[in-house]
Amino acid sequence: MGPNRKFDVPVYDLSAVRGIWEVRVKKYRTRQKKEQERVENSALARIDQQWQYRIYCKSMKAKELQQLHHYLERSLLTEPHGAHLDRNPGSMGKNPNTDVQQQEDHPDAKDLIFQLEGDRWLVRLSRELQWTTYLQEWHVRRTRIRQLPDFLALFTQLTVLEIPRNLITDLPPQIGKLAALRRLNVSYNRLSRVPPELGDCEKLERLELAGNLSLSELPFELSSLKQLVHLDISENRFASIPVCALRMSRLQLLDLSNNQLSDLPQDMDRLQQLSTLFVHSNRLSYLPVCLTNISSLRMVVASGDALTCVPTSLCNDPTIKFIRLYDNPERKRREVKDGSEKEFMEAYIGTLKDRDSVPFSTTKVSISCLL
């Protein structure tokens, strides 16, 4: 083999390749969505649900069946924000503390809310809940529930799914069927992954996944969440910003605090509507210059202990509140996070938003005293 022999080495533009695949994925997802809408708009889905309901009723005792019918025929409560069904659906009519008043309104009325709280609720939600598909909000918190029901896809009118501080280990793929969903909070659970089907919830505006500890990546399919304005993935194990987050073009608040980030990408200025960025309690030694290209940016919070390089314009821009936090050196970092530090930080930073100026640096001594 001669020394002057030449080789042809193919060189690819990764951004072009990525763009091609993004187009293909979008077309595939569009076809899937149209097929899903065709099935849902047909009478087959409703007929199937009615037959499933009849089969379910056949297996119930007379007393249980009477309780179920009574529950399903109830109307809205007279509370200003809608009905609050704050008892276990599996024990209808057994809670003497629940004040239920019947009205003439049909249960399909708007703003109907399901509430469940307390560690007495175990493992899973009762199957009776599947006959309340008119609900528009779920608020389930501080329970010992480990999984969401397999009939979640029936709740096509659901706009809010607030399920923080439970023991939930995964989100079912059926969550992608919640086409009307605008707010999802699964903070402080036990998630290790997020299903790619969540990208089908294209109306989602607020996504909170803080404090799941084992979460280290987000699927690329979440790039479809173009309406998202609030993304909180703090207190997890992200070593880098998820690629999908940089494609959420309407993002206004991004919370990446308390992760394992060692740097920020040089194309963060893709987020041209970003106004608030939390990156404190990571391993950052510098902030990229591209942050100065985001004209909408109004607040940046970073840890100052290891930070050695910060764009001058970021510090001197009067429209940006740049806050450095310095950890108390005597304070040991806790392995188990319960959100108490995050709540304190939110309250503290909230007081700075209305100030004309903020201190160039501050400390977290108060935090260690409070914990």
Side-chain angles (χ1 to χ4, degrees), residues 55-221:
I55 294 171
Y56 179 76
C57 289
K58 287 288 186 181
S59 65
M60 299 181 70
K61 297 179 181 178
K63 184 177 180 180
E64 294 174 340
L65 187 59
Q66 183 180 4
Q67 290 176 346
L68 176 59
H69 285 319
H70 175 70
Y71 174 71
L72 294 178
E73 290 172 358
R74 289 186 318 181
S75 297
L76 294 176
L77 298 179
T78 56
E79 295 183 10
H81 298 293
H84 296 262
L85 311 177
D86 56 356
R87 54 174 150 169
N88 187 350
S91 57
M92 309 302 178
K94 297 181 181 179
N95 190 338
N97 297 323
T98 304
D99 181 18
V100 179
Q101 297 182 358
Q102 292 188 349
Q103 295 182 347
E104 296 180 356
D105 298 331
H106 191 271
D108 283 337
K110 294 181 179 179
D111 299 326
L112 198 58
I113 300 173
F114 171 73
Q115 276 193 189
L116 199 66
E117 185 169 355
D119 59 6
R120 64 188 181 280
W121 309 113
L122 306 175
V123 186
R124 67 184 65 187
L125 294 166
S126 176
R127 295 200 67 83
E128 279 85 349
L129 187 61
Q130 68 182 304
W131 313 120
T132 60
T133 54
Y134 49 81
L135 292 174
Q136 293 195 351
E137 295 188 17
W138 281 17
H139 298 266
V140 180
R141 61 183 69 230
R142 299 183 185 278
T143 73
R144 286 187 277 177
I145 291 174
R146 297 179 180 274
Q147 63 185 61
L148 294 177
D150 53 6
F151 53 80
L152 182 65
L154 299 176
F155 290 80
T156 55
Q157 298 182 54
L158 207 61
T159 60
V160 175
L161 184 54
E162 292 271 350
I163 47 176
R165 301 183 185 279
N166 298 292
L167 300 178
I168 297 172
T169 55
D170 59 51
L171 295 175
Q174 291 89 340
I175 198 169
K177 302 292 185 180
L178 307 181
L181 197 63
R182 295 182 182 276
R183 191 166 83 230
L184 175 62
N185 183 354
V186 204
S187 296
Y188 302 104
N189 279 280
R190 298 183 177 181
L191 297 184
S192 58
R193 61 179 295 275
V194 173
E197 289 80 4
L198 183 59
D200 293 333
C201 302
E202 295 183 357
K203 292 185 178 180
L204 203 62
E205 298 173 357
R206 186 182 181 101
L207 177 59
E208 299 175 67
L209 299 166
N212 280 282
L213 300 182
S214 297
L215 199 60
S216 60
E217 60 182 355
L218 295 179
F220 181 78
E221 286 78 1

Side-chain angles (χ1 to χ4, degrees), residues 319-355:
T319 64
I320 299 177
K321 290 183 171 66
F322 178 66
I323 305 168
R324 285 188 181 185
L325 302 177
Y326 288 86
D327 283 317
N328 180 359
E330 298 179 358
R331 174 177 167 268
K332 294 183 178 179
R333 187 181 182 88
R334 296 177 303 164
E335 292 298 326
V336 180
K337 302 168 185 174
D338 59 5
S340 55
E341 177 179 333
K342 183 177 180 64
E343 292 172 1
F344 178 89
M345 288 300 304
E346 287 177 349
Y348 171 73
I349 292 171
T351 64
L352 300 178
K353 288 184 177 180
D354 297 327
R355 299 186 192 179

